[in-house]
Amino acid sequence: MAVTSNDLFYSRLPVNEIPLGDLLMENHLFFKVPDNWHVLITDVKNSTQAALDGQHQTVNLVATGSIVAALNIAFKDNISVPFFFGGDGATFIIPPSLLTATLTALQQHRENTLNNFNLDLRVGHVPVTEVYEQGHELRLSKLKTSDLFNIPVLLGTGLTFAERKIKAEDQPSPSQLYNTGELDMSGMHCRWDKIKPPANNFEVVCLQVIAKEGIQQADAFKQVIESIDKIYGAPEARKPISISKLRMMATFEKIGREMRTRLGGFNAMYLLRTWITTSLGKIYFKTKKGKEYLYKLVDMSDTLVIDGKINTVITGSAEQREQLKKVLDDLENRNKILYGLHVSSESVMSCYVRNMDDQHVHFVDGADGGYTNAAGVLKKKIYSLQTN
């Protein structure tokens, strides 16, 4: 396929190396998503109940699988696309050239998820032009968040509109949409045990924030981010992932979940081979190259998502969390924001590893449904406002 300049919209965005609070106020550093692109959204239906039933790590794995399936397609065409991890699903904004192949892959991933885990993965898309026709915005920028990692930063309510539209519509079953081909899930890994915070007295906080209607999103988000910086310190200081707390978990149950997500079923050779390589990983990570990979893993852990909302996983003390809640409560009482917050004692991580050098990203959530529960708190607040 010939790659066009339109396909490279996101690839060519400049990477900004300024504090996030400053970036949010620089309107000229945000660019309108092309009209002919598409928003794709996946999410596990009834994920809150699934987390209560002890399936939270499976839900995270399914969400990560969505990202792996979509990015592997884009990678083959050397196209970079923005994506946003949400704990129980994922969101992408892609050019039209990738639409059919990506939807096909996601629908097959949906079918595999239902067959293997009895979880229903919603898959849907909305043309960006429809988002704009309904009066919503999608403006993108890129932010360098560490030595090796940059993230998309999106302002506007376009993704919220697309999510509501997709959830309101009945989605056809996979067999009604596309002929399924071979699903490429290479690079997906889920081999880390639950991860304790860096310090023994720390906790893991999952936070979701939206700006109230009529409030400038950028200004509200700047106040929240700068408050987190002031209370918890720099982004690297509040990451819940640290090398000293990482432990590989080579159980057949955990590897089996990864296997069924990647392959869509059981494969004895894959299970045995992966168990052996995971067991040997403990030796590898003591080597110089292994230690370099662990440093990059922490550096490239995805703990901040700005997709028209703030979604972040941070670690610190209970006292710091109470300070943050006072700030958030004040902003909420002044009708600036609404927020949901959930506290966990550990975090969980699933990974997309194209290679062990510099092409990997690690998705982090609270161990007992952090993002899902924070979103639940926020949804109750939104519902209360709508019904009062």
Side-chain angles (χ1 to χ4, degrees):
M1 183 198 76
V3 176
T4 68
S5 59
N6 179 270
D7 293 325
L8 299 176
F9 159 73
Y10 183 68
S11 303
R12 291 175 174 173
L13 286 186
V15 178
N16 299 287
E17 299 185 36
I18 59 176
L20 175 56
D22 294 344
L23 174 64
L24 290 167
M25 305 310 295
E26 297 291 344
N27 188 58
H28 69 283
L29 297 179
F30 287 81
F31 299 85
K32 182 180 177 182
V33 175
D35 297 52
N36 65 338
W37 280 42
H38 295 261
V39 175
L40 273 65
I41 292 177
T42 69
D43 81 289
V44 174
K45 295 181 183 180
N46 301 316
S47 57
T48 301
Q49 186 59 50
L52 291 172
D53 293 341
Q55 288 187 283
H56 179 63
Q57 284 186 285
T58 304
V59 170
N60 267 185
L61 188 61
V62 169
T64 300
S66 299
I67 294 174
V68 172
L71 293 191
N72 279 345
I73 290 168
F75 180 81
K76 289 173 184 174
D77 288 325
N78 294 311
I79 296 173
S80 178
V81 298
F83 60 91
F84 308 90
F85 175 72
D88 62 353
T91 300
F92 318 87
I93 310 176
I94 66 170
S97 61
L98 300 179
L99 181 63
T100 298
T102 306
L103 279 175
T104 300
L106 291 176
Q107 290 291 359
Q108 186 162 352
H109 177 49
R110 177 188 181 188
E111 192 167 69
N112 289 345
T113 297
L114 187 61
N115 291 338
N116 285 283
F117 306 115
N118 198 31
L119 294 173
D120 191 358
L121 180 69
R122 181 186 283 111
V123 176
H125 84 286
V126 176
V128 167
T129 183
E130 183 177 346
V131 173
Y132 293 156
E133 287 170 356
Q134 295 300 315
H136 299 276
E137 287 189 323
L138 290 170
R139 296 187 294 121
L140 266 175
S141 186
K142 273 184 189 173
L143 174 70
K144 185 173 183 178
T145 56
S146 67
D147 290 341
L148 302 169
F149 199 50
N150 63 72
I151 63 170
V153 177
L154 185 135
L155 293 177
T157 56
L159 295 188
T160 300
F161 162 75
E163 180 181 0
R164 288 174 181 166
K165 184 176 189 299
I166 288 168
K167 288 184 176 181
E169 296 174 347
D170 289 328
Q171 298 296 310
S173 65
S175 60
Q176 292 175 300
L177 283 176
Y178 305 102
N179 294 321
T180 56
E182 184 177 350
L183 179 61
D184 181 5
M185 300 289 279
S186 57
M188 191 179 71
H189 296 281
C190 182
R191 302 174 195 174
W192 296 102
D193 199 357
K194 293 180 181 179
I195 304 164
K196 295 286 186 184
N200 291 334
N201 65 324
F202 278 10
E203 60 189 18
V204 177
V205 174
C206 292
L207 175 66
Q208 189 174 101
V209 181
I210 62 170
K212 286 288 293 291
E213 189 172 348
I215 299 298
Q216 188 184 36
Q217 217 174 48
D219 182 60
F221 290 174
K222 176 181 171 69
Q223 292 182 64
V224 172
I225 292 296
E226 291 186 343
S227 296
I228 294 173
D229 289 342
K230 182 178 179 180
I231 295 167
Y232 282 88
E236 58 271 17
R238 58 181 187 253
K239 279 197 172 186
I241 307 301
S242 63
I243 292 176
S244 64
K245 301 294 184 178
L246 288 172
R247 300 287 184 272
M248 296 211 76
M249 188 177 184
T251 66
F252 282 110
E253 179 186 3
K254 193 172 187 69
I255 296 169
R257 280 199 300 264
E258 177 192 307
M259 173 191 66
R260 284 180 286 158
T261 306
R262 284 186 64 162
L263 306 181
F266 181 80
N267 184 301
M269 282 301 297
Y270 178 93
L271 189 67
L272 181 60
R273 184 173 64 251
T274 305
W275 180 79
I276 293 171
T277 56
T278 303
S279 299
L280 292 175
K282 297 173 184 178
I283 300 172
Y284 170 75
F285 290 128
K286 293 179 180 179
T287 68
K288 180 180 178 181
K289 193 168 184 179
K291 290 176 181 178
E292 288 175 355
Y293 174 79
L294 292 178
Y295 165 78
K296 292 177 182 179
L297 181 154
V298 174
D299 196 67
M300 301 173 79
S301 58
D302 190 15
T303 57
L304 175 65
V305 175
I306 310 288
D307 61 350
K309 304 183 294 293
I310 295 174
N311 304 272
T312 190
V313 187
I314 55 181
T315 190
S317 67
E319 291 76 16
Q320 287 172 309
R321 187 226 322 148
E322 288 301 322
Q323 291 178 50
L324 178 61
K325 277 179 58 65
K326 287 181 181 179
V327 173
L328 296 173
D329 286 340
D330 178 63
L331 289 171
E332 198 169 68
N333 291 334
R334 291 192 286 126
N335 290 316
K336 299 281 188 181
I337 66 165
L338 289 173
Y339 78 94
L341 183 149
H342 183 77
V343 180
S344 304
S345 59
E346 299 168 306
S347 57
V348 292
M349 182 170 63
S350 49
C351 310
Y352 174 48
V353 183
R354 288 211 61 87
N355 66 51
M356 299 288 282
D357 294 324
D358 56 5
Q359 290 186 333
H360 47 100
V361 58
H362 308 271
F363 304 102
V364 182
D365 197 357
D368 53 353
Y371 270 143
T372 298
N373 286 304
V377 173
L378 179 56
K379 287 174 184 175
K380 287 179 181 178
K381 291 181 178 180
I382 294 171
Y383 179 76
S384 178
L385 282 178
Q386 292 172 341
T387 54
N388 289 336

